[in-house]
Amino acid sequence: VQLQASGGGLVQAGGSLGLACAASGNIFKINTMAWYRQAPGKERELVAIISAGGSTNYADSVKGRFAISRDNAKNTGYLQMSSLKPEDTAVYYCNANILTMTGAVIDYWGQGTLVTVSS
């Protein structure tokens, strides 16, 4: 299984940016999909998570600004970020909890994509 993240880049404060995470490979079902981020000198933190049924949860710092979604037919998750702040600058990682065709349940990680918000 591979997770391919895309969509990072440089944006001005107050702007918007969208991230995508496409899963491929030995997938029977994707359970949760999530986005984490890690800023320089800080620990990785959960930003948003979405269940297979579409229930979502967000870090307090991004509530009302970020929206997580998924397209189960495409095995792809998304993170739409708006009203971005300089403190949102980080490497963003997608995560998926996947039931494989062989019956294993495994957490997979994407390669990380850098989001830089300039003030």
Coordinates of all heavy atoms in Angstrom, one line a residue, residues 47-83:
V47 N -4.2 16.9 13.0 CA -5.0 18.0 12.5 C -6.4 17.7 12.3 O -7.3 18.5 12.8 CB -4.4 18.5 11.2 CG1 -5.2 19.7 10.6 CG2 -2.9 18.9 11.4
A48 N -6.7 16.6 11.7 CA -8.1 16.3 11.4 C -8.2 14.8 11.0 O -7.2 14.2 10.5 CB -8.7 17.1 10.2
I49 N -9.3 14.2 11.3 CA -9.5 12.8 11.1 C -11.0 12.5 10.6 O -11.9 13.2 11.0 CB -9.2 11.9 12.3 CG1 -9.2 10.4 12.0 CG2 -10.1 12.3 13.4 CD1 -8.6 9.6 13.1
I50 N -11.1 11.6 9.7 CA -12.4 11.3 9.2 C -12.6 9.7 9.1 O -11.7 9.0 8.7 CB -12.6 11.9 7.7 CG1 -14.1 11.6 7.2 CG2 -11.6 11.4 6.8 CD1 -14.4 12.4 6.0
S51 N -13.8 9.3 9.6 CA -14.1 7.9 9.6 C -14.5 7.4 8.3 O -14.8 8.2 7.4 CB -15.1 7.6 10.7 OG -16.4 8.1 10.3
A52 N -14.7 6.1 8.2 CA -15.2 5.5 6.9 C -16.6 6.0 6.6 O -17.0 6.2 5.4 CB -15.2 4.0 7.0
G53 N -17.3 6.3 7.7 CA -18.7 6.8 7.5 C -18.8 8.3 7.3 O -19.9 8.8 7.1
G54 N -17.7 9.0 7.5 CA -17.7 10.4 7.2 C -17.7 11.3 8.5 O -17.7 12.5 8.4
S55 N -17.7 10.7 9.7 CA -17.6 11.5 10.9 C -16.2 12.1 11.0 O -15.2 11.5 10.6 CB -17.8 10.6 12.1 OG -19.1 10.1 12.1
T56 N -16.2 13.4 11.4 CA -14.9 14.1 11.4 C -14.6 14.7 12.8 O -15.5 14.9 13.6 CB -15.0 15.3 10.4 OG1 -16.1 16.2 10.8 CG2 -15.1 14.8 9.0
N57 N -13.3 14.9 13.1 CA -12.9 15.6 14.3 C -11.7 16.4 13.9 O -10.9 16.1 13.0 CB -12.5 14.6 15.4 CG -13.6 14.2 16.2 OD1 -14.2 15.0 16.9 ND2 -14.0 12.9 16.1
Y58 N -11.5 17.5 14.6 CA -10.5 18.5 14.2 C -9.7 18.9 15.5 O -10.3 19.0 16.6 CB -11.1 19.8 13.6 CG -11.8 19.5 12.3 CD1 -13.1 19.2 12.2 CD2 -11.0 19.6 11.1 CE1 -13.7 18.9 11.0 CE2 -11.7 19.3 9.9 CZ -13.0 19.0 9.8 OH -13.6 18.8 8.6
A59 N -8.5 19.3 15.3 CA -7.8 20.0 16.4 C -8.4 21.3 16.6 O -8.9 22.0 15.7 CB -6.3 20.2 16.0
D60 N -8.4 21.8 17.9 CA -9.1 23.0 18.2 C -8.5 24.2 17.4 O -9.2 25.1 17.0 CB -8.9 23.3 19.7 CG -9.8 22.5 20.5 OD1 -10.7 21.8 20.0 OD2 -9.5 22.4 21.8
S61 N -7.2 24.1 17.1 CA -6.5 25.2 16.4 C -7.0 25.4 14.9 O -6.7 26.4 14.3 CB -5.0 25.0 16.4 OG -4.7 23.7 15.8
V62 N -7.6 24.4 14.4 CA -8.0 24.5 13.0 C -9.5 24.4 12.8 O -10.0 24.5 11.6 CB -7.4 23.4 12.1 CG1 -5.9 23.4 12.3 CG2 -7.9 22.0 12.4
K63 N -10.3 24.2 13.8 CA -11.7 24.2 13.7 C -12.3 25.4 13.1 O -11.9 26.5 13.4 CB -12.4 24.0 15.1 CG -12.3 22.5 15.6 CD -13.0 22.4 17.0 CE -12.9 21.0 17.5 NZ -13.5 20.9 18.8
G64 N -13.2 25.2 12.1 CA -13.8 26.3 11.4 C -13.0 26.8 10.3 O -13.5 27.7 9.5
R65 N -11.7 26.4 10.1 CA -10.9 26.8 9.0 C -10.5 25.7 8.1 O -10.3 25.9 6.9 CB -9.6 27.5 9.6 CG -9.8 28.6 10.5 CD -8.5 29.3 10.9 NE -7.6 28.5 11.6 CZ -6.4 28.1 11.1 NH1 -5.9 28.6 10.0 NH2 -5.6 27.3 11.9
F66 N -10.4 24.5 8.6 CA -10.0 23.4 7.8 C -11.2 22.4 7.6 O -12.0 22.3 8.5 CB -8.8 22.6 8.4 CG -7.5 23.3 8.4 CD1 -7.4 24.6 8.1 CD2 -6.3 22.6 8.8 CE1 -6.2 25.3 8.1 CE2 -5.1 23.2 8.8 CZ -5.0 24.5 8.5
A67 N -11.2 21.7 6.5 CA -12.2 20.7 6.3 C -11.6 19.5 5.7 O -11.0 19.5 4.7 CB -13.3 21.3 5.3
I68 N -11.9 18.3 6.4 CA -11.4 17.0 5.9 C -12.5 16.3 5.2 O -13.7 16.4 5.6 CB -10.8 16.2 7.0 CG1 -10.1 15.0 6.4 CG2 -11.9 15.8 8.0 CD1 -9.3 14.2 7.5
S69 N -12.2 15.7 4.1 CA -13.2 14.9 3.4 C -12.5 13.7 2.7 O -11.3 13.6 2.7 CB -13.9 15.8 2.3 OG -13.0 16.2 1.4
R70 N -13.3 12.8 2.1 CA -12.8 11.7 1.4 C -13.7 11.2 0.3 O -14.9 11.5 0.4 CB -12.5 10.5 2.4 CG -13.8 10.1 3.1 CD -13.5 9.1 4.3 NE -13.1 7.8 3.8 CZ -12.6 6.8 4.6 NH1 -12.4 7.1 5.9 NH2 -12.3 5.7 4.1
D71 N -13.1 10.6 -0.7 CA -13.8 10.0 -1.8 C -13.5 8.5 -1.7 O -12.4 8.1 -2.1 CB -13.4 10.6 -3.1 CG -14.2 10.1 -4.3 OD1 -14.7 8.9 -4.2 OD2 -14.3 10.8 -5.3
N72 N -14.4 7.7 -1.2 CA -14.1 6.3 -1.0 C -14.0 5.5 -2.3 O -13.2 4.6 -2.4 CB -15.3 5.6 -0.2 CG -15.3 6.1 1.3 OD1 -14.3 6.5 1.8 ND2 -16.5 6.2 1.9
A73 N -14.6 6.0 -3.3 CA -14.5 5.3 -4.6 C -13.1 5.5 -5.2 O -12.6 4.7 -6.0 CB -15.5 5.9 -5.6
K74 N -12.5 6.6 -4.8 CA -11.1 6.9 -5.4 C -10.0 6.6 -4.3 O -8.9 6.9 -4.6 CB -11.0 8.4 -5.8 CG -11.9 8.8 -6.9 CD -11.8 10.2 -7.3 CE -12.7 10.6 -8.5 NZ -12.5 12.0 -8.8
N75 N -10.4 6.1 -3.2 CA -9.4 5.9 -2.1 C -8.6 7.1 -1.8 O -7.4 7.0 -1.7 CB -8.5 4.7 -2.4 CG -9.2 3.4 -2.3 OD1 -10.2 3.3 -1.6 ND2 -8.8 2.3 -2.9
T76 N -9.2 8.3 -1.8 CA -8.5 9.5 -1.7 C -9.1 10.4 -0.6 O -10.3 10.5 -0.4 CB -8.5 10.3 -3.0 OG1 -7.9 9.5 -4.0 CG2 -7.8 11.6 -2.9
G77 N -8.2 11.0 0.2 CA -8.6 11.9 1.2 C -8.2 13.3 0.9 O -7.2 13.5 0.1
Y78 N -8.9 14.3 1.5 CA -8.6 15.7 1.2 C -8.6 16.5 2.4 O -9.2 16.2 3.4 CB -9.7 16.3 0.2 CG -9.9 15.5 -1.0 CD1 -10.8 14.5 -1.1 CD2 -9.1 15.7 -2.2 CE1 -11.0 13.8 -2.3 CE2 -9.2 15.0 -3.3 CZ -10.2 14.0 -3.4 OH -10.4 13.3 -4.5
L79 N -7.8 17.6 2.4 CA -7.8 18.6 3.5 C -7.9 19.9 2.8 O -6.9 20.3 2.1 CB -6.6 18.4 4.4 CG -6.6 19.4 5.6 CD1 -7.7 18.9 6.6 CD2 -5.2 19.4 6.3
Q80 N -9.0 20.6 3.0 CA -9.1 22.0 2.5 C -8.8 22.9 3.6 O -9.5 22.9 4.6 CB -10.5 22.2 1.9 CG -10.7 23.6 1.3 CD -9.8 23.8 0.1 OE1 -9.6 22.9 -0.7 NE2 -9.3 25.0 0.0
M81 N -7.8 23.8 3.4 CA -7.4 24.7 4.4 C -7.7 26.1 4.0 O -7.4 26.5 2.9 CB -5.9 24.5 4.7 CG -5.5 23.1 5.0 SD -3.7 22.9 5.3 CE -3.1 23.1 3.6
S82 N -8.3 26.9 4.9 CA -8.6 28.3 4.5 C -8.3 29.2 5.7 O -8.0 28.7 6.8 CB -10.1 28.4 4.2 OG -10.9 28.0 5.2
S83 N -8.3 30.5 5.5 CA -7.9 31.4 6.5 C -6.6 31.0 7.2 O -6.4 31.0 8.4 CB -9.0 31.6 7.6 OG -10.2 32.0 7.0

